[in-house]
Amino acid sequence: MLQIRPSCEHCNKQLPYNASDAMICTFECTFCKECVDDILLKVCPNCGGGFEKRPIRPEHLLQKYPASTITVHKPVNVALHQQKIKAL
């Protein structure tokens, strides 16, 4: 089951369970669409994989399966990340 993390790991923008701009990689690293497109260039800085739109958990299931409240805020070293992408 997805954790549904509450914010973008890079910019810390709030991404509630129903955010339409939340993006995740296969390890559930969570970023906002703006950071994915404009800063990360669609490559996860943690695993090197791509991103997909995070599904929205139906509201009626939130009580039984709540979204995570744990914030992961690890701003990306943008220059280093983009350098790694160019080297691929």
Side-chain angles (χ1 to χ4, degrees), residues 31-88:
F31 295 89
C32 68
K33 184 162 177 40
E34 186 175 328
C35 284
V36 167
D37 291 344
D38 301 339
I39 296 171
L40 304 176
L41 307 177
K42 300 180 179 161
V43 177
C44 179
N46 301 319
C47 71
F51 288 97
E52 294 292 330
K53 183 179 184 283
R54 183 181 74 190
I56 295 174
R57 181 161 298 153
E59 195 169 333
H60 72 278
L61 294 174
L62 287 172
Q63 188 168 11
K64 186 173 181 180
Y65 304 105
S68 176
T69 58
I70 299 170
T71 298
V72 178
H73 185 220
K74 302 184 307 187
V76 176
N77 178 329
V78 177
L80 182 60
H81 175 68
Q82 292 179 356
Q83 188 177 35
K84 285 181 184 178
I85 292 172
K86 289 178 184 175
L88 296 176

